[in-house]
Amino acid sequence: SAASVVALHAGTGRELWKNPLEGVPAQITNRGIMYWENVDRSERRVFTSKGQHLHAVDALTGGTVSSFGTNGRIDLRQDLGRTATRGQSPSPGRVFENLIILGSAPGENYASDPGHIRAYDARTGQLVWRFNTVPYPGEFGYETWPSDAYKRIGGANAWGGLSVDENRGIVYVPIASPSYDFYGADRLGSNLFGNSLLALDARTGKRLWHFQTVHHDLWDMDLTATPTLLTVRHKGRMRDVVAQATKLGYLYVFDRVTGESLWPIEERPVPASDMPGELAWPTQPRPTWPKPFAVQSFTPDDVNPYIPAAEQDSVRRRLAEILNLSEALHQPPSTRPTMQMPGNRGGANWGSTAADPRNGEFYVVAENLPTVLQLTPILPGTFGTGTSQLDRGLFLYTQNCQACHKPTLEGTPPLIPALRGVNARMPSEAFHQVVREGRRNMPAFPDLSAQEVSAILLYLTTPEAAEPIPSAPMGPDGRPLGPVRYQTGYGYFAVSSGMFARKPPFAAMTKYDLNSGEILWQTPLGEVPALVGRGVTDLTGASSLRGGPALTAGGLVFMITKDKLRAYDTDTGRQLWAGQMPRPGDGIPAVYRVGGRQYVVASAAAAAVEGTPDGPRVYVAFALPPQAANR
């Protein structure tokens, strides 16, 4: 059922129907589905993304709704204004009235497709409106880009999650970085609507207001957390607000209708870039309140005390080499090492927020994970016609893979896996699919041909047999000749043990009272299995979380951390219970009531890592015994 939509009885887990969405050889999204019904409930549909298509399935029978789009699906590579190779929507969009409003995940590489926001008719699959996140001539924000950017720049997409104020008909859209996300010499300007919270008329797609949280992003500081709608008492009156958490650890709170911030936001000067052709934006916004929920610094005093002493010394030497360590929030990437804290995987990521709409309380999960970026030129040119398939594989690996997986193929486990011996762990077909479509932390490379992907796999099988690539010709100034683009890996600052170089907690949950903006509590989330094995029982915070909290009216907040589902007290943040799962999970728990019992369902389908079980990929349902639920 890995590539199917499945309906289960909510009280027993019994399978009701299964639709494998045949005709599209790809993985189904792992981040959820959308549900739509008409006014009298005579039509009920679920929508999900598989590969590059959006599929419609009858929610009662499980059959494909053939009247939707073409034979039950629409190709999401269409309707983007130019030829596209990747229009998928791994996170569910939002259903509003008879519309399906979608973001996408085209990636943020140099050749990425645009991330325009689209709304489709839920009955027919016809496009109703499109909002261009890289504006066209005559549109608001066009002047914040080079004049031809709308023809060639991609990214600026919504891959995280959308929210809808149904009473007002407003959809709130968090936008990611423009491409390429670490070097922007070919997209000079502030780059609206990259890294912006957008408020759009849900029926027409018209812009109502926006706020850009990062100008001319050079750090992959996507807005990925879903905007959260709640009502607070501010300065003596009730305000309907939208709260947006960011990877930088900042929390912005805006009036839903006007876009006015409840607390002042300052534009502060930031360092300039030393990269050729680059013009970093001279200021960046910082909210004066509330206080940040994530750690924003990494000094030699913060080195992880649980790693060996020799590695601690190595980390401190590494910190001494890093450019402008004190400017970790907005130091532009360079050919010298530069620090990000929080890094591009830190702060608030996908699915990381929840709120209690009754009292203005807001919860956010953050990862305190540093990254170190270092730009290197992309090899110019191509391989010659007489180049062997093995040597082509080395060339292609160097161009496309090396920045993250390293010249040694060792990666940065557990976030970026080692590739040595990957042929023994992964069938060729699966390798091709992951490279072309992407998975979790890895972007897609749809422009690589099947032959090129095969060459990379051949190189990974026997890397020692490939001939070294000649260095690019250099000019008298020591820089490569000809037009040059730069790239960097995500730079996760891990050490040989797989832990991160900064001290715990690696992940924590923060509770805010947004009536006042005060932080009420912070608590670490989970533990590191390797440390538990060494007798460190304190909750040090699990690294590499990808999911978020589920809040209940009874005063509990549930969160998946590795191979456990945990329950926390909403008043104190204290952990009350932990349920073991057969393997690690991720995502957001589902909480519902059926037959008089309340259930919490968690996905246990993530990759196993050292210290965690490697059982079957399943959904696990937890509930109180029936007699307890009835008392």
Side-chain angles (χ1 to χ4, degrees):
S1 300
S4 303
V5 181
V6 181
L8 305 177
H9 186 282
T12 66
R14 177 174 57 87
E15 183 178 306
L16 303 176
W17 54 255
K18 178 172 68 176
N19 187 327
L21 305 178
E22 295 175 342
V24 179
Q27 289 294 315
I28 198 168
T29 177
N30 62 352
R31 288 184 175 152
I33 61 178
M34 295 173 284
Y35 175 85
W36 170 86
E37 61 184 31
N38 63 357
V39 175
D40 64 6
R41 305 194 75 204
S42 60
E43 291 183 86
R44 306 182 203 178
R45 298 177 180 180
V46 292
F47 298 90
T48 190
S49 174
K50 183 181 181 185
Q52 306 300 328
H53 295 79
L54 181 71
H55 298 255
V57 177
D58 188 300
L60 296 176
T61 68
T64 296
V65 182
S66 57
S67 60
F68 180 82
T70 302
N71 299 321
R73 63 178 184 257
I74 55 177
D75 190 331
L76 295 175
R77 293 167 292 192
Q78 300 176 352
D79 308 317
L80 287 171
R82 67 186 199 232
T83 302
T85 58
R86 193 182 183 204
Q88 63 179 330
S89 178
S91 294
R94 280 289 182 266
V95 170
F96 173 70
E97 296 178 347
N98 291 327
L99 294 177
I100 306 162
I101 305 173
L102 285 179
S104 61
E108 289 149 15
N109 296 316
Y110 284 107
S112 293
D113 298 315
H116 306 323
I117 311 305
R118 293 167 287 179
Y120 291 94
D121 187 292
R123 287 194 174 92
T124 66
Q126 292 294 310
L127 180 70
V128 176
W129 56 256
R130 185 183 84 205
F131 180 87
N132 297 321
T133 58
V134 179
Y136 278 47
E139 295 179 341
F140 187 96
Y142 171 73
E143 72 284 352
T144 67
W145 300 84
S147 61
D148 63 343
Y150 70 100
K151 299 178 182 179
R152 56 181 178 79
I153 298 295
N157 55 301
W159 67 265
L162 320 178
S163 296
V164 173
D165 183 328
E166 294 187 351
N167 292 330
R168 296 181 172 92
I170 302 175
V171 57
Y172 300 92
V173 186
I175 302 297
S177 311
S179 61
Y180 169 59
D181 41 12
F182 297 116
Y183 181 64
D186 60 351
R187 54 173 174 86
L188 298 182
S190 61
N191 302 153
L192 289 176
F193 292 94
N195 309 85
S196 298
L197 176 62
L198 274 171
L200 305 177
D201 185 310
R203 297 182 179 90
T204 66
K206 177 185 176 182
R207 183 189 67 89
L208 301 176
W209 59 265
H210 75 275
F211 182 83
Q212 188 175 49
T213 60
V214 180
H215 312 310
H216 188 71
D217 185 16
L218 300 174
W219 305 274
D220 190 30
M221 286 292 116
D222 301 343
L223 288 185
T224 59
T226 301
T228 304
L229 308 183
L230 64 167
T231 300
V232 302
R233 178 174 292 278
H234 182 75
K235 295 184 178 180
R237 66 186 183 97
M238 303 306 293
R239 300 279 295 270
D240 288 343
V241 299
V242 53
Q244 180 65 59
T246 73
K247 283 185 177 181
L248 286 169
Y250 289 131
L251 179 63
Y252 294 88
V253 186
F254 302 104
D255 184 284
R256 283 191 226 170
V257 176
T258 66
E260 175 193 8
S261 176
L262 265 61
W263 293 283
I265 301 170
E266 298 176 350
E267 286 283 338
R268 297 188 183 180
V270 294
S273 172
D274 64 1
M275 292 299 296
E278 182 62 271
L279 288 176
W281 202 256
T283 63
Q284 294 291 346
R286 295 192 185 182
T288 59
W289 193 258
K291 292 181 179 179
F293 55 84
V295 176
Q296 295 180 325
S297 65
F298 184 8
T299 71
D301 294 334
D302 299 321
V303 174
N304 188 343
Y306 298 112
I307 62 178
E311 283 198 308
Q312 293 183 41
D313 292 340
S314 175
V315 170
R316 292 188 180 94
R317 288 194 297 271
R318 178 73 166 155
L319 291 174
E321 299 170 353
I322 290 174
L323 184 65
N324 287 2
L325 191 61
S326 62
E327 295 287 351
L329 283 179
H330 290 119
Q331 176 64 42
S334 172
T335 53
R336 295 172 55 193
T338 57
M339 170 69 72
Q340 281 184 295
M341 188 66 212
N344 46 71
R345 178 61 192 265
N349 214 298
W350 180 83
S352 55
T353 57
D356 188 331
R358 303 167 301 179
N359 54 25
E361 293 175 346
F362 176 85
Y363 302 77
V364 57
V365 172
E367 292 192 278
N368 299 315
L369 305 182
T371 55
V372 177
L373 304 179
Q374 188 167 9
L375 292 168
T376 58
I378 297 175
L379 286 175
T382 60
F383 41 76
T385 56
T387 306
S388 71
Q389 185 77 335
L390 178 62
D391 292 344
R392 290 184 182 202
L394 170 57
F395 184 91
L396 291 163
Y397 177 86
T398 305
Q399 279 194 317
N400 299 282
C401 317
Q402 178 175 291
C404 290
H405 293 280
K406 300 184 178 179
T408 57
L409 281 64
E410 62 186 7
T412 312
L415 292 175
I416 299 176
L419 292 182
R420 188 173 296 276
V422 69
N423 56 303
R425 305 191 305 269
M426 179 181 291
S428 173
E429 180 181 353
F431 181 84
H432 276 249
Q433 183 174 337
V434 169
V435 172
R436 291 183 55 79
E437 297 181 11
R439 179 180 295 178
R440 293 178 66 83
N441 294 315
M442 179 172 165
F445 294 86
D447 293 336
L448 290 176
S449 69
Q451 184 182 36
E452 289 172 330
V453 177
S454 295
I456 294 173
L457 183 57
L458 177 64
Y459 166 69
L460 296 176
T461 305
T462 55
E464 295 83 2
E467 291 291 332
I469 299 173
S471 299
M474 308 297 283
D477 60 354
R479 299 185 184 277
L481 292 173
V484 175
R485 285 176 165 177
Y486 292 83
Q487 65 180 356
T488 175
Y490 290 105
Y492 303 129
F493 201 163
V495 294
S496 61
S497 61
M499 281 193 290
F500 281 84
R502 198 188 187 281
K503 65 184 180 184
F506 301 129
M509 186 188 302
T510 301
K511 178 182 177 180
Y512 285 93
D513 178 355
L514 288 190
N515 300 287
S516 64
E518 295 281 356
I519 291 177
L520 299 179
W521 52 252
Q522 288 184 312
T523 188
L525 292 173
E527 71 272 315
V528 178
L531 293 180
V532 173
R534 291 163 47 186
V536 181
T537 56
D538 293 340
L539 294 181
T540 50
S543 61
S544 310
L545 300 180
R546 185 66 73 122
L551 195 63
T552 73
L556 296 176
V557 57
F558 289 94
M559 178 76 192
I560 301 169
T561 65
K562 298 295 188 187
D563 58 330
K564 292 182 176 64
L565 175 67
R566 302 177 190 269
Y568 298 87
D569 186 303
T570 56
D571 289 333
T572 65
R574 183 171 63 91
Q575 179 179 304
L576 302 176
W577 168 84
Q580 182 67 48
M581 300 196 298
R583 71 177 296 125
D586 55 16
I588 304 169
V591 181
Y592 58 86
R593 179 182 291 273
V594 62
R597 298 181 72 188
Q598 188 166 355
Y599 293 81
V600 182
V601 175
S603 166
V609 296
E610 183 179 356
T612 61
D614 191 12
R617 297 175 187 267
V618 297
Y619 285 93
V620 182
F622 297 88
L624 290 173
Q627 62 273 20
N630 292 330
R631 285 204 298 264

